Amino acid sequence: MTRRSSIDSYRKTRVDHASETAEDYVEAIDELIEQEGQCRVTTLARRLGISHVTVSRTLSRLASEDLVETEPYRPIVLTDKGHALAAWARQRHELVLNFLKALGVPENVAIPDAEGMEHHCSPKTLSAMKRFLKETRS
Amino acid sequence: MTRRSSIDSYRKTRVDHASETAEDYVEAIDELIEQEGQCRVTTLARRLGISHVTVSRTLSRLASEDLVETEPYRPIVLTDKGHALAAWARQRHELVLNFLKALGVPENVAIPDAEGMEHHCSPKTLSAMKRFLKETRS
DNA sequence: CATTTAATGTAGCATAGGCTACAAATGGAG
DNA sequence: CTCCATTTGTAGCCTATGCTACATTAAATG
Ligand SMILES: [Mn+2]
Ligand SMILES: [Mn+2]
Ligand SMILES: [Mn+2]
Ligand SMILES: [Mn+2]
């Protein structure tokens, strides 16, 4: 039994990053549909702070992964799978953000930090955060 | 004043990721030098769980950023700048890990999660973690 | 010291995600 | 309906980071 913990940690982080784009996209799409009734490529690009070209290409990949459905010049639609992922990602994001705020991190720092941290929180870490929130609230 | 918070959060996360490789490399190099007296390409590749080819190429970039010094077939050396970054990264990593453990996350989950989360923790988030550790210890 | 093994480097390929410049489609105003 | 502004798509470029296959250098071993 060699020390393979570090290897596994780095691997896990790479895996987290591989799913990060998909999670952030479906999350943003879901929110935009909720807020504006539909999600267009340009709107999404503005929200993510990147060019519409990158968004368009990434959406093709997400479509091939059965997370979104796209038709030329039409609004972006989430598949059932995409919607489920979005719901999960939104819950997790909210939890991590609320946790940081409860820990005493100012909101203007907690918001950007949560955006990155959320993708690296395993179920047990999320549980610990929930526990902390419950204890703090009482 | 439009809602540009999301844009900035995504941007910040992309910036975090851009420095992540450098941070993890110098951190691992520093630890390997401490543990084994020197750091070789192969050893580093084993530790990171990637091929020696990727390590070798990435080291060229880090050398151009004045973080490491490399000579063909020689051990990897950290520059002063690289060593300073390593010291900072190690401190931060340890803090995040200890924080997660103090929060009640089992070590076998805290270790991999900390590896990714560390890169997204702003100074104020780190301060909040330190505060929590102090309060918990007492 | 010759030979084999291990370490390192190099060539070349792939994917993901940035970009600008330009082309084409859509939809609304006149 | 025509024309123009906006949206979307496409071509083509870049960097970072993964890989395998192979070449070369260094080190160990008999
Ligand atoms: Mn995110
Ligand atoms: Mn990350
Ligand atoms: Mn680290
Ligand atoms: Mn790390």
Side-chain angles (χ1 to χ4, degrees):
Chain A
M1 147 170 124
T2 353
R3 277 197 86 34
R4 47 175 305 112
S5 47
S6 67
I7 301 183
D8 294 336
S9 297
Y10 292 121
R11 276 198 204 293
K12 187 251 185 194
T13 301
R14 290 195 291 271
V15 169
D16 290 344
H17 287 156
S19 3
E20 174 159 351
T21 303
E23 289 166 357
D24 283 339
Y25 268 64
V26 295
E27 196 186 338
I29 292 165
D30 197 41
E31 284 168 2
L32 283 168
I33 290 173
E34 190 172 285
Q35 289 161 17
E36 315 190 355
Q38 62 168 0
C39 175
R40 311 292 311 213
V41 171
T42 306
T43 323
L44 186 52
R46 264 195 301 270
R47 156 118 12 165
L48 298 173
I50 57 185
S51 74
H52 79 275
V53 182
T54 302
V55 169
S56 183
R57 179 162 26 72
T58 300
L59 285 173
S60 301
R61 180 170 68 78
L62 300 187
S64 84
E65 292 172 12
D66 195 32
L67 290 168
V68 302
E69 276 168 17
T70 60
E71 297 257 21
Y73 300 96
R74 298 255 60 99
I76 303 148
V77 179
L78 289 174
T79 62
D80 287 350
K81 187 179 162 193
H83 193 263
L85 180 60
W88 154 246
R90 288 181 68 170
Q91 252 197 305
R92 185 190 58 183
H93 195 146
E94 204 193 342
L95 169 58
V96 174
L97 176 58
N98 286 334
F99 168 76
L100 286 179
K101 290 197 284 190
L103 191 67
V105 179
E107 192 169 31
N108 68 317
V109 173
I111 290 175
D113 282 15
E115 189 60 70
M117 290 175 65
E118 52 167 349
H119 308 278
H120 301 289
C121 297
S122 300
K124 289 194 177 169
T125 297
L126 295 172
S127 303
M129 290 178 172
K130 266 182 222 159
R131 223 179 301 132
F132 177 81
L133 278 173
K134 245 175 225 159
E135 284 165 16
T136 301
R137 260 190 240 114
S138 57
Chain B
M1 152 167 124
T2 354
R3 276 197 87 33
R4 46 174 307 111
S5 47
S6 66
I7 301 182
D8 295 336
S9 296
Y10 291 121
R11 277 200 204 292
K12 186 250 183 192
T13 301
R14 290 195 292 270
V15 169
D16 290 343
H17 286 156
S19 4
E20 174 158 352
T21 303
E23 289 167 358
D24 282 338
Y25 268 64
V26 296
E27 195 186 339
I29 292 166
D30 197 43
E31 284 168 1
L32 283 168
I33 291 174
E34 190 171 285
Q35 292 162 15
E36 314 190 355
Q38 62 168 2
C39 176
R40 311 291 315 212
V41 171
T42 305
T43 323
L44 186 51
R46 264 196 300 269
R47 156 117 12 165
L48 298 174
I50 57 184
S51 75
H52 79 275
V53 182
T54 302
V55 169
S56 183
R57 179 162 26 73
T58 300
L59 285 172
S60 301
R61 179 171 68 78
L62 299 186
S64 83
E65 292 172 13
D66 196 33
L67 290 168
V68 302
E69 277 167 17
T70 59
E71 297 257 18
Y73 298 99
R74 298 257 57 100
I76 304 150
V77 179
L78 289 174
T79 63
D80 287 350
K81 188 179 163 194
H83 192 262
L85 180 60
W88 153 246
R90 288 181 68 170
Q91 253 196 305
R92 186 191 57 182
H93 194 146
E94 203 192 343
L95 170 58
V96 174
L97 176 58
N98 286 334
F99 169 76
L100 286 179
K101 290 197 285 190
L103 191 67
V105 180
E107 191 169 33
N108 68 316
V109 172
I111 290 176
D113 282 13
E115 189 60 69
M117 291 175 67
E118 54 167 350
H119 308 279
H120 301 290
C121 297
S122 299
K124 289 194 177 169
T125 297
L126 295 172
S127 303
M129 289 178 171
K130 268 183 220 156
R131 223 180 302 131
F132 177 81
L133 278 173
K134 247 175 224 159
E135 284 165 16
T136 301
R137 259 190 238 111
S138 58

